Amino acid sequence: MTNNPIDIVVIGAGIIGVSTALELQARGRTPLLIDREGIAAETSRGNAGAFAFSEIEPLATPGIMRRAPKWLLDPLGPLSIPPSYALKIAPWMLRFWRASWADRYDHAVTAQTRLMNHCEAAFERQLSRFGDANMIRREGQLELYEGARAFEQAQPKWQRRSDLGIDVTLLTSPGDIAEIQPGLSRKFTHAGFTPGWFNTTDPQKWTESLARRYANQGGGFEALEISDLTPRSDHIELVTDKGKLQTKQVVICAGAWSHRLAAKIGDSIPLETERGYNTTFEHTTVDLKTHLTFAQHGFVMSKIGVGLRIGGAVELGGLDLPPNYRRAEILVQKAKSFMPELDVSDGTQWMGYRPSLPDSLPVISPSGAGDRVIYAFGHGHLGLTQSAGTAELVADLAMRANPAVDLAPFAATRF
Ligand SMILES: Cc1cc2nc3c(=O)[nH]c(=O)nc-3n(C[C@H](O)[C@H](O)[C@H](O)COP(=O)(O)OP(=O)(O)OC[C@H]3O[C@@H](n4cnc5c(N)ncnc54)[C@H](O)[C@@H]3O)c2cc1C
């Protein structure tokens, strides 16, 4: 086997890994996609399905550490830290706080904007080459506010987006809001509408459709768990639950678990998980016209198939604690009070692990072992949105071509 290593292994078959394998294949490489479970088995399965190219602001906004304690004290609030995880998350929170300093925040917004512009163009390329246009809904997004004060506080964000050329319409009455989305509580007095936003009809099916395309073109997949990797002189050795593999290059797209593999080659990356919850209803009694974001409550409502999904929240609870589905119930209760006609019986609850770095930017980067091991993880709330763009950048790195975006802000060594 030493004489015939695999060309390139992609670890993780979420949306990042699947898109990467497909792009590598399109560039003439022969990837082997590996996942311990299957295609879209984790976070890429249950997300809200949004391609949110306008979401350029990191979570660590200036002043967030003043507002966070209030959220943490609210048991129904959008942010929670289980007491047993509070100490473990402290170093990440410190980095998060630093990332909220004005200069770092501005730097992150600039980097994210450049990446988003690339990702939007890359998505259209991916869609036209490999995707199914029937799986994309171009219906915009409505971000809702209760009262003029909350809306005014959000103005810097809307102004920035407008200055960057993002098409936005600001609405200042329940009547204007009802013209876009009827049936909402009149306590939502203000909103920002982003017509250019779009969603997939189902993120799991979208990922599976790309994986099918990859397989139909001869792409290989193996259900294996990778427990170790070691760079050797002319190959990388991977230890799997079914024996060893050798490969010339490897891309780590293992979502919220990626740092565990990076640590095996000596890279310490402060990846944490922002656990998120949702409930999916196979059918719905309301006619959702657009993707709804309840800005002050940290959750969204989106169409999935012929039903809908209500989800969001951030729980900084690590990879091992059991889910607390009370958080999903709270979101549904709130949604029902915001849209009284909603039938909320028979939903399916889910928790997913957003892979998150403190500065809300992903790692798209060669590893400390050079470009024989490439990292593509940490996309936080935006993995679906940034999947096609990330895949192109990873393929650039793997092919030793000039990446289309300056990757310094996304370097593994930036921490
Ligand atoms: C509630 C919620 C809503 C969201 N909504 C959106 C949205 O609307 N739009 C958006 O862009 N993003 C959204 N996100 C974020 C998005 O889902 C993630 O950023 C994205 O799915 C991450 O994809 P990934 O491929 O990196 O990770 P994953 O999908 O988690 O895939 C990683 C894969 O790696 C595998 N793996 C891990 N370790 C190993 C190992 N050692 N060996 C083999 N395999 C391994 C896992 O089995 C898994 O399949 C949301 C997230 C949540 C939780």
Side-chain angles (χ1 to χ4, degrees):
M1 197 151 186
T2 315
N3 295 330
N4 197 15
I6 297 159
D7 178 29
I8 182 163
V9 165
V10 177
I11 305 175
I15 187 60
I16 301 294
V18 168
S19 298
T20 297
L22 193 52
E23 182 63 29
L24 286 166
Q25 187 185 50
R27 302 225 196 160
R29 300 293 295 265
T30 312
L32 174 65
L33 182 59
I34 287 181
D35 197 291
R36 62 186 174 204
E37 291 184 64
I39 307 295
E42 288 282 358
T43 322
S44 301
R45 177 161 72 98
N47 65 50
F51 290 91
F53 298 108
S54 53
E55 295 287 302
I56 48 174
E57 296 84 8
L59 249 61
T61 47
I64 193 162
M65 296 309 267
R66 279 196 309 277
R67 296 190 296 275
K70 192 183 96 194
W71 294 334
L72 287 169
L73 289 173
D74 175 2
L76 306 186
L79 173 68
S80 66
I81 303 181
S84 61
Y85 204 69
L87 264 184
K88 287 191 186 132
I89 194 78
W92 189 91
M93 289 302 288
L94 186 63
R95 287 194 163 97
F96 182 79
W97 169 63
R98 287 206 197 110
S100 74
W101 295 357
D103 57 333
R104 296 191 188 198
Y105 176 79
D106 290 346
H107 172 78
V109 170
T110 304
Q112 192 72 299
T113 304
R114 289 191 185 132
L115 181 61
M116 283 299 203
N117 288 340
H118 164 73
C119 288
E120 186 162 11
F123 170 76
E124 296 296 352
R125 286 190 283 275
Q126 186 189 54
L127 180 63
S128 66
R129 285 186 301 166
F130 313 121
D132 175 355
N134 293 323
M135 295 183 81
I136 302 299
R137 288 185 171 125
R138 298 183 188 262
E139 295 174 348
Q141 175 239 16
L142 191 61
E143 186 156 332
L144 296 149
Y145 299 91
E146 291 167 49
R149 191 153 174 267
F151 185 59
E152 269 158 32
Q153 282 169 352
Q155 281 317 298
K157 173 175 100 174
W158 291 107
Q159 188 59 52
R160 185 184 306 107
R161 292 181 182 187
S162 187
D163 291 348
L164 287 167
I166 298 169
D167 191 8
V168 297
T169 306
L170 301 182
L171 309 170
T172 52
S173 78
D176 289 347
I177 292 171
E179 280 185 24
I180 294 178
Q181 179 61 60
L184 282 162
S185 158
R186 289 183 69 82
K187 74 185 198 169
F188 296 107
T189 53
H190 294 69
F193 183 60
T194 308
W197 173 300
F198 47 89
N199 283 49
T200 168
T201 50
D202 185 322
Q204 179 183 6
K205 290 188 177 147
W206 172 254
T207 312
E208 286 169 350
S209 78
L210 295 179
R212 239 183 342 266
R213 182 71 186 238
Y214 163 76
N216 290 344
Q217 294 170 171
F221 171 81
E222 298 258 0
L224 296 171
E225 174 148 25
I226 309 295
S227 57
D228 203 357
L229 67 161
T230 313
R232 305 278 185 211
S233 58
D234 62 346
H235 66 271
I236 312 287
E237 186 173 276
L238 301 177
V239 179
T240 85
D241 50 346
K242 295 181 189 136
K244 290 185 179 173
L245 289 176
Q246 294 176 2
T247 177
K248 291 185 211 160
Q249 268 182 312
V250 57
V251 190
I252 298 181
C253 310
W257 299 268
S258 300
H259 58 312
R260 292 180 173 171
L261 293 173
K264 302 284 181 189
I265 52 170
D267 287 334
S268 167
I269 300 181
L271 184 73
E272 268 292 345
T273 180
E274 294 176 60
R275 295 149 49 123
Y277 290 86
N278 68 37
T279 307
T280 304
F281 301 90
E282 266 188 50
H283 299 282
T284 173
T285 45
V286 298
D287 183 9
L288 207 59
K289 303 282 188 196
T290 183
H291 179 105
L292 298 181
T293 300
F294 298 95
Q296 291 151 271
H297 301 274
F299 79 94
V300 305
M301 199 188 286
S302 54
K303 257 192 250 178
I304 298 291
V306 293
L308 64 78
R309 181 165 287 165
I310 296 167
V314 166
E315 183 184 62
L316 295 168
L319 293 167
D320 301 320
L321 289 180
N324 172 7
Y325 284 114
R326 177 80 187 116
R327 303 212 70 79
E329 285 163 26
I330 289 164
L331 303 185
V332 171
Q333 281 167 17
K334 284 192 176 185
K336 172 78 181 159
S337 72
F338 298 162
M339 258 190 144
E341 279 176 29
L342 207 61
D343 175 3
V344 292
S345 47
D346 289 339
T348 306
Q349 295 173 327
W350 174 84
M351 185 192 76
Y353 299 90
R354 298 183 191 95
S356 299
L357 278 314
D359 57 5
S360 300
L361 300 177
V363 172
I364 306 171
S365 166
S367 70
D371 63 8
R372 292 191 298 153
V373 182
I374 296 169
Y375 296 143
F377 57 79
H379 296 78
H381 295 235
L382 296 165
L384 175 65
T385 307
Q386 298 183 330
S387 51
T390 298
E392 286 191 5
L393 293 167
V394 170
D396 290 341
L397 289 174
M399 306 294 287
R400 304 200 170 108
N402 263 345
V405 172
D406 171 18
L407 289 181
F410 310 102
T413 50
R414 71 182 187 268
F415 300 102

